Amino acid sequence: MFRTRTTAAAAALVLATGCGAADMTRQASPFSNARGAKTVTLSVQSWVGAQANVAVAQYLLEHELGYRVDTVQVDEVPAWDALSQGRVDAILEDWGHPEQEQRYVEEKGTIARGGDLGVTGHIGWFVPTYFARQHPDVTDWKNLDKYAERFRTPESGGKGQLLDGSPSYVTNDKALVKNLKLDYRVVFAGSEAAQITQIKQFAKEKKPFLTYWYTPQWLFEKVPMTEVRLPAYEEGCDADPAEVACAYPVTPLQKYLNADFARKGGEAAHLLRNFRWTTEDQNEVSLMIAEQKLSPREAARKWVGSHAFVWKKWLP
Protein backbone atom coordinates (compact mmCIF):
# COMPACT_ATOMS: atom_id res chain seq x y z
CA MET A 1 0.00 0.00 0.00
CA PHE A 2 1.37 3.38 -0.96
CA ARG A 3 1.06 6.62 0.92
CA THR A 4 0.05 8.75 -2.10
CA ARG A 5 -2.41 7.33 -4.60
CA THR A 6 -0.95 7.04 -8.08
CA THR A 7 -4.17 8.21 -9.72
CA ALA A 8 -4.52 11.32 -7.58
CA ALA A 9 -3.27 14.73 -8.61
CA ALA A 10 0.18 15.45 -7.18
CA ALA A 11 -0.83 17.67 -4.30
CA ALA A 12 1.95 19.35 -2.35
CA LEU A 13 2.89 17.67 0.89
CA VAL A 14 3.97 19.78 3.87
CA LEU A 15 6.90 19.09 6.14
CA ALA A 16 6.47 19.28 9.89
CA THR A 17 8.81 22.26 9.63
CA GLY A 18 6.36 23.98 7.29
CA CYS A 19 8.48 23.78 4.13
CA GLY A 20 6.68 23.33 0.82
CA ALA A 21 7.21 20.46 -1.58
CA ALA A 22 9.57 20.83 -4.50
CA ASP A 23 8.27 20.49 -8.03
CA MET A 24 10.91 18.23 -9.53
CA THR A 25 9.64 18.80 -13.05
CA ARG A 26 11.02 22.32 -12.76
CA GLN A 27 13.61 22.13 -10.00
CA ALA A 28 16.72 20.02 -9.63
CA SER A 29 19.36 19.73 -6.96
CA PRO A 30 22.19 22.27 -7.28
CA PHE A 31 24.49 19.23 -7.14
CA SER A 32 22.79 17.31 -9.96
CA ASN A 33 25.15 16.58 -12.86
CA ALA A 34 28.05 18.20 -11.00
CA ARG A 35 31.26 17.06 -12.62
CA GLY A 36 34.11 15.65 -10.60
CA ALA A 37 32.31 16.07 -7.30
CA LYS A 38 31.15 13.50 -4.77
CA THR A 39 27.50 14.50 -4.64
CA VAL A 40 24.24 12.80 -3.70
CA THR A 41 20.66 14.05 -3.92
CA LEU A 42 18.07 12.43 -1.66
CA SER A 43 14.29 12.70 -1.92
CA VAL A 44 12.60 13.60 1.38
CA GLN A 45 8.98 12.65 1.99
CA SER A 46 6.83 14.82 4.18
CA TRP A 47 6.29 12.59 7.22
CA VAL A 48 8.81 12.71 10.02
CA GLY A 49 9.89 9.06 9.79
CA ALA A 50 11.08 9.66 6.23
CA GLN A 51 12.88 12.79 7.39
CA ALA A 52 14.66 10.67 10.01
CA ASN A 53 15.91 8.22 7.37
CA VAL A 54 17.31 11.00 5.20
CA ALA A 55 18.84 12.91 8.11
CA VAL A 56 20.91 9.92 9.22
CA ALA A 57 21.90 8.94 5.69
CA GLN A 58 22.93 12.52 4.92
CA TYR A 59 24.97 12.81 8.11
CA LEU A 60 26.89 9.62 7.38
CA LEU A 61 27.44 10.46 3.72
CA GLU A 62 28.86 13.85 4.68
CA HIS A 63 30.84 13.01 7.82
CA GLU A 64 32.00 9.47 7.12
CA LEU A 65 32.36 9.44 3.33
CA GLY A 66 32.97 13.09 2.43
CA TYR A 67 30.02 13.65 0.07
CA ARG A 68 28.06 16.82 -0.53
CA VAL A 69 24.41 15.99 -0.02
CA ASP A 70 21.34 17.86 -1.17
CA THR A 71 17.80 17.01 -0.13
CA VAL A 72 14.60 17.89 -1.97
CA GLN A 73 11.00 17.42 -0.91
CA VAL A 74 8.69 16.10 -3.60
CA ASP A 75 5.42 14.17 -3.59
CA GLU A 76 5.70 10.41 -3.78
CA VAL A 77 4.64 9.75 -7.38
CA PRO A 78 6.59 12.70 -8.88
CA ALA A 79 9.57 11.48 -6.83
CA TRP A 80 9.61 8.30 -8.92
CA ASP A 81 9.68 10.40 -12.08
CA ALA A 82 12.53 12.50 -10.65
CA LEU A 83 14.41 9.35 -9.64
CA SER A 84 14.03 7.86 -13.10
CA GLN A 85 15.36 11.06 -14.68
CA GLY A 86 18.36 11.26 -12.32
CA ARG A 87 17.13 14.44 -10.67
CA VAL A 88 17.35 12.59 -7.36
CA ASP A 89 19.55 9.60 -6.59
CA ALA A 90 17.53 7.75 -3.96
CA ILE A 91 14.17 7.34 -2.24
CA LEU A 92 14.71 5.84 1.21
CA GLU A 93 11.12 5.06 2.24
CA ASP A 94 8.57 3.84 -0.26
CA TRP A 95 5.24 2.41 0.83
CA GLY A 96 4.59 0.56 -2.43
CA HIS A 97 3.89 2.04 -5.86
CA PRO A 98 3.24 -0.98 -8.12
CA GLU A 99 2.51 1.02 -11.27
CA GLN A 100 5.75 3.01 -10.98
CA GLU A 101 7.73 -0.09 -10.05
CA GLN A 102 6.46 -1.92 -13.11
CA ARG A 103 7.17 1.04 -15.42
CA TYR A 104 10.58 2.14 -14.16
CA VAL A 105 12.11 -0.97 -12.59
CA GLU A 106 10.73 -3.79 -14.73
CA GLU A 107 10.15 -2.15 -18.13
CA LYS A 108 12.48 0.86 -18.47
CA GLY A 109 15.23 -0.23 -16.08
CA THR A 110 15.86 3.38 -15.02
CA ILE A 111 15.31 2.64 -11.32
CA ALA A 112 16.91 -0.12 -9.26
CA ARG A 113 15.70 -1.71 -6.06
CA GLY A 114 17.69 -0.58 -3.03
CA GLY A 115 16.51 -3.24 -0.58
CA ASP A 116 14.44 -3.26 2.58
CA LEU A 117 14.57 -0.28 4.91
CA GLY A 118 14.04 -2.67 7.81
CA VAL A 119 10.82 -0.95 8.89
CA THR A 120 7.33 -2.35 8.33
CA GLY A 121 4.53 0.11 7.63
CA HIS A 122 0.82 -0.22 8.26
CA ILE A 123 -2.10 2.18 7.80
CA GLY A 124 -5.26 1.79 9.83
CA TRP A 125 -8.04 3.43 11.84
CA PHE A 126 -7.28 4.19 15.47
CA VAL A 127 -9.07 5.41 18.57
CA PRO A 128 -7.38 6.66 21.74
CA THR A 129 -6.59 3.81 24.10
CA TYR A 130 -8.30 5.62 26.98
CA PHE A 131 -11.57 5.44 25.02
CA ALA A 132 -11.03 1.84 23.90
CA ARG A 133 -10.57 0.77 27.52
CA GLN A 134 -13.91 2.34 28.43
CA HIS A 135 -15.68 0.97 25.34
CA PRO A 136 -13.85 -2.19 24.17
CA ASP A 137 -16.36 -2.95 21.43
CA VAL A 138 -15.37 0.23 19.54
CA THR A 139 -12.35 -1.66 18.20
CA ASP A 140 -14.65 -3.66 15.88
CA TRP A 141 -15.74 -1.64 12.83
CA LYS A 142 -19.22 -3.13 13.05
CA ASN A 143 -19.78 -1.14 16.25
CA LEU A 144 -18.52 2.22 15.00
CA ASP A 145 -21.97 3.61 14.19
CA LYS A 146 -22.89 3.09 17.83
CA TYR A 147 -20.30 5.76 18.67
CA ALA A 148 -20.75 8.09 15.68
CA GLU A 149 -22.35 10.77 17.82
CA ARG A 150 -19.42 10.68 20.24
CA PHE A 151 -17.00 11.26 17.34
CA ARG A 152 -19.02 14.11 15.82
CA THR A 153 -17.30 17.50 15.25
CA PRO A 154 -18.41 20.79 13.69
CA GLU A 155 -16.51 19.78 10.55
CA SER A 156 -18.18 16.40 10.14
CA GLY A 157 -21.66 17.76 9.38
CA GLY A 158 -23.78 15.72 11.77
CA LYS A 159 -21.87 12.49 11.15
CA GLY A 160 -19.03 10.93 13.07
CA GLN A 161 -15.62 12.34 12.12
CA LEU A 162 -12.90 10.16 10.63
CA LEU A 163 -9.81 12.35 10.78
CA ASP A 164 -7.35 12.00 7.89
CA GLY A 165 -4.10 13.88 7.26
CA SER A 166 -3.11 15.18 3.84
CA PRO A 167 -5.46 14.48 0.90
CA SER A 168 -2.36 13.43 -1.08
CA TYR A 169 -1.58 10.52 1.24
CA VAL A 170 -2.98 7.17 0.21
CA THR A 171 -6.38 6.77 1.77
CA ASN A 172 -9.18 4.38 1.00
CA ASP A 173 -11.21 5.98 3.76
CA LYS A 174 -13.99 7.62 1.72
CA ALA A 175 -14.56 4.34 -0.11
CA LEU A 176 -14.45 2.40 3.17
CA VAL A 177 -17.01 4.67 4.82
CA LYS A 178 -19.30 4.36 1.79
CA ASN A 179 -18.86 0.63 1.19
CA LEU A 180 -19.14 -0.33 4.86
CA LYS A 181 -22.20 1.95 5.11
CA LEU A 182 -20.86 3.87 8.10
CA ASP A 183 -22.38 7.08 9.48
CA TYR A 184 -19.07 8.95 9.20
CA ARG A 185 -17.43 11.69 7.16
CA VAL A 186 -13.74 11.89 6.29
CA VAL A 187 -12.27 15.23 7.40
CA PHE A 188 -8.75 16.15 6.25
CA ALA A 189 -6.46 17.96 8.67
CA GLY A 190 -4.23 18.98 5.74
CA SER A 191 -0.87 17.52 6.77
CA GLU A 192 0.73 15.12 9.22
CA ALA A 193 1.71 18.03 11.46
CA ALA A 194 -1.84 19.43 11.52
CA GLN A 195 -3.27 15.99 12.22
CA ILE A 196 -0.84 15.48 15.11
CA THR A 197 -1.86 18.85 16.56
CA GLN A 198 -5.53 17.83 16.48
CA ILE A 199 -4.87 14.39 17.96
CA LYS A 200 -2.81 15.87 20.80
CA GLN A 201 -5.54 18.41 21.54
CA PHE A 202 -8.19 15.68 21.66
CA ALA A 203 -5.95 13.65 23.98
CA LYS A 204 -5.27 16.63 26.24
CA GLU A 205 -9.02 17.05 26.72
CA LYS A 206 -9.60 13.27 26.92
CA LYS A 207 -12.08 13.47 24.05
CA PRO A 208 -12.92 10.47 21.87
CA PHE A 209 -11.70 10.52 18.27
CA LEU A 210 -11.37 8.20 15.28
CA THR A 211 -8.37 8.79 13.04
CA TYR A 212 -6.54 7.42 10.05
CA TRP A 213 -2.99 6.77 11.27
CA TYR A 214 0.01 4.60 10.56
CA THR A 215 2.89 2.74 12.09
CA PRO A 216 5.71 3.31 12.67
CA GLN A 217 5.02 6.73 14.14
CA TRP A 218 6.52 8.39 17.22
CA LEU A 219 3.16 9.84 18.33
CA PHE A 220 2.09 6.48 19.79
CA GLU A 221 4.61 7.11 22.59
CA LYS A 222 2.80 10.34 23.50
CA VAL A 223 -0.81 9.40 22.67
CA PRO A 224 -1.43 5.64 22.98
CA MET A 225 -3.93 4.53 20.35
CA THR A 226 -5.70 1.24 19.64
CA GLU A 227 -6.47 0.02 16.13
CA VAL A 228 -10.03 -0.59 14.97
CA ARG A 229 -10.37 -3.96 13.26
CA LEU A 230 -11.59 -3.48 9.69
CA PRO A 231 -12.59 -6.40 7.44
CA ALA A 232 -9.47 -8.50 6.94
CA TYR A 233 -7.10 -7.60 4.11
CA GLU A 234 -6.84 -10.15 1.32
CA GLU A 235 -4.64 -9.91 -1.76
CA GLY A 236 -6.47 -7.85 -4.39
CA CYS A 237 -9.23 -6.57 -2.12
CA ASP A 238 -8.03 -3.01 -2.73
CA ALA A 239 -7.54 -3.39 -6.50
CA ASP A 240 -10.50 -1.14 -7.31
CA PRO A 241 -10.17 2.05 -5.25
CA ALA A 242 -13.92 2.74 -5.48
CA GLU A 243 -14.89 -0.70 -4.19
CA VAL A 244 -12.44 -1.11 -1.28
CA ALA A 245 -14.10 -2.64 1.78
CA CYS A 246 -11.09 -4.17 3.55
CA ALA A 247 -8.25 -3.18 5.87
CA TYR A 248 -4.96 -1.72 4.70
CA PRO A 249 -2.10 -4.23 4.23
CA VAL A 250 1.12 -4.54 6.18
CA THR A 251 3.96 -3.22 3.99
CA PRO A 252 7.73 -3.81 4.35
CA LEU A 253 9.10 -0.38 3.38
CA GLN A 254 11.55 -0.27 0.49
CA LYS A 255 14.40 1.87 -0.88
CA TYR A 256 14.95 2.68 -4.55
CA LEU A 257 17.96 4.10 -6.39
CA ASN A 258 18.41 5.71 -9.78
CA ALA A 259 19.78 2.89 -11.93
CA ASP A 260 22.88 4.81 -13.10
CA PHE A 261 23.58 5.88 -9.52
CA ALA A 262 23.17 2.27 -8.35
CA ARG A 263 25.88 1.22 -10.84
CA LYS A 264 28.23 4.20 -10.59
CA GLY A 265 27.45 5.74 -7.20
CA GLY A 266 30.40 4.12 -5.47
CA GLU A 267 30.56 4.38 -1.71
CA ALA A 268 27.36 6.40 -1.49
CA ALA A 269 25.32 3.79 -3.34
CA HIS A 270 26.90 1.10 -1.16
CA LEU A 271 25.89 2.88 2.05
CA LEU A 272 22.32 3.55 0.89
CA ARG A 273 21.80 -0.05 -0.21
CA ASN A 274 23.08 -1.22 3.19
CA PHE A 275 21.04 1.35 5.18
CA ARG A 276 18.74 -0.83 7.25
CA TRP A 277 17.48 -0.01 10.72
CA THR A 278 14.60 -0.84 13.03
CA THR A 279 11.30 0.81 13.79
CA GLU A 280 12.74 1.70 17.20
CA ASP A 281 15.75 3.41 15.58
CA GLN A 282 13.53 5.44 13.27
CA ASN A 283 11.15 6.40 16.06
CA GLU A 284 14.06 7.52 18.25
CA VAL A 285 15.24 10.00 15.63
CA SER A 286 11.67 11.01 14.71
CA LEU A 287 10.87 11.80 18.33
CA MET A 288 13.91 14.07 18.58
CA ILE A 289 12.83 15.96 15.46
CA ALA A 290 9.09 16.22 16.07
CA GLU A 291 8.76 16.37 19.84
CA GLN A 292 12.12 17.59 21.15
CA LYS A 293 12.36 20.09 18.27
CA LEU A 294 15.92 19.21 17.30
CA SER A 295 16.93 19.92 13.73
CA PRO A 296 17.13 16.77 11.59
CA ARG A 297 20.90 17.21 11.40
CA GLU A 298 21.27 17.46 15.19
CA ALA A 299 18.95 14.48 15.74
CA ALA A 300 21.01 12.46 13.27
CA ARG A 301 24.25 13.50 15.00
CA LYS A 302 22.95 12.32 18.37
CA TRP A 303 21.72 9.00 17.00
CA VAL A 304 24.93 8.36 15.06
CA GLY A 305 26.98 9.14 18.18
CA SER A 306 25.32 6.37 20.17
CA HIS A 307 24.63 3.74 17.50
CA ALA A 308 27.96 3.04 15.81
CA PHE A 309 27.26 -0.67 16.23
CA VAL A 310 24.35 -0.23 13.79
CA TRP A 311 25.69 2.09 11.11
CA LYS A 312 29.29 0.89 10.93
CA LYS A 313 27.94 -2.15 9.07
CA TRP A 314 26.54 0.09 6.34
CA LEU A 315 29.89 1.58 5.35
CA PRO A 316 31.98 0.30 2.43
Side-chain angles (χ1 to χ4, degrees):
M1 178 60 64
F2 40 96
R3 288 283 294 273
T4 305
R5 187 175 304 286
T6 56
T7 56
L13 298 179
V14 181
L15 283 169
T17 57
C19 298
D23 179 354
M24 290 304 294
T25 63
R26 296 182 175 85
Q27 177 177 335
S29 161
F31 298 151
S32 64
N33 301 319
R35 297 183 179 277
K38 293 175 64 174
T39 66
V40 180
T41 304
L42 302 177
S43 174
V44 187
Q45 307 298 1
S46 69
W47 52 93
V48 70
Q51 295 174 49
N53 304 326
V54 171
V56 170
Q58 178 176 4
Y59 190 91
L60 292 173
L61 286 165
E62 292 175 344
H63 293 271
E64 295 295 323
L65 300 181
Y67 281 80
R68 293 189 299 172
V69 180
D70 187 35
T71 62
V72 291
Q73 187 192 349
V74 57
D75 284 357
E76 290 171 86
V77 174
W80 278 78
D81 300 332
L83 187 64
S84 174
Q85 297 162 11
R87 293 172 179 262
V88 299
D89 295 313
I91 296 171
L92 299 185
E93 181 173 313
D94 184 80
W95 285 63
H97 289 79
E99 293 181 18
Q100 280 67 29
E101 186 178 345
Q102 177 65 30
R103 180 183 306 126
Y104 293 126
V105 178
E106 302 297 339
E107 297 175 5
K108 293 188 175 183
T110 53
I111 292 176
R113 293 182 177 88
D116 289 350
L117 176 63
V119 177
T120 298
H122 174 61
I123 298 169
W125 292 1
F126 292 83
V127 295
T129 299
Y130 55 76
F131 189 75
R133 286 173 178 163
Q134 295 172 347
H135 307 280
D137 62 337
V138 75
T139 59
D140 186 331
W141 73 269
K142 295 177 182 177
N143 299 318
L144 284 175
D145 275 358
K146 175 180 173 181
Y147 297 99
E149 185 174 353
R150 301 287 301 275
F151 294 135
R152 188 181 300 166
T153 68
E155 292 75 27
S156 62
K159 297 178 177 290
Q161 174 176 279
L162 172 55
L163 181 64
D164 273 44
S166 167
S168 65
Y169 288 170
V170 67
T171 171
N172 299 327
D173 288 356
K174 287 186 176 181
L176 281 166
V177 167
K178 175 179 177 289
N179 296 328
L180 296 178
K181 298 179 171 59
L182 295 173
D183 188 27
Y184 282 78
R185 174 168 294 170
V186 176
V187 176
F188 291 98
S191 68
E192 182 187 68
Q195 191 176 8
I196 287 173
T197 297
Q198 290 196 30
I199 290 172
K200 290 172 75 173
Q201 185 61 38
F202 283 134
K204 181 180 179 180
E205 298 173 6
K206 291 295 182 182
K207 289 184 176 180
F209 62 86
L210 176 66
T211 189
Y212 161 108
W213 205 233
Y214 34 85
T215 62
Q217 225 291 335
W218 63 269
L219 186 63
F220 286 102
E221 297 187 28
K222 298 297 180 180
V223 182
M225 289 182 273
T226 301
E227 187 168 5
V228 174
R229 295 185 303 276
L230 293 170
Y233 177 84
E234 297 179 1
E235 190 69 31
C237 70
D238 54 355
D240 184 344
E243 300 300 325
V244 175
C246 60
Y248 294 87
V250 172
T251 306
L253 306 183
Q254 301 294 309
K255 299 168 294 175
Y256 290 91
L257 310 179
N258 172 270
D260 286 340
F261 174 76
R263 290 190 295 268
K264 305 172 185 177
E267 293 179 328
H270 180 102
L271 183 148
L272 295 178
R273 276 193 295 262
N274 286 351
F275 188 113
R276 182 182 175 90
W277 62 354
T278 65
T279 295
E280 291 73 25
D281 290 325
Q282 189 188 81
N283 279 342
E284 183 177 344
V285 179
S286 297
L287 192 64
M288 287 189 277
I289 296 171
E291 188 70 8
Q292 300 174 20
K293 305 304 180 185
L294 271 63
S295 69
R297 184 177 298 274
E298 179 62 16
R301 186 192 67 78
K302 288 189 68 172
W303 185 89
V304 166
S306 59
H307 291 78
F309 63 95
V310 177
W311 58 261
K312 287 280 189 184
K313 296 180 288 188
W314 304 343
L315 299 179

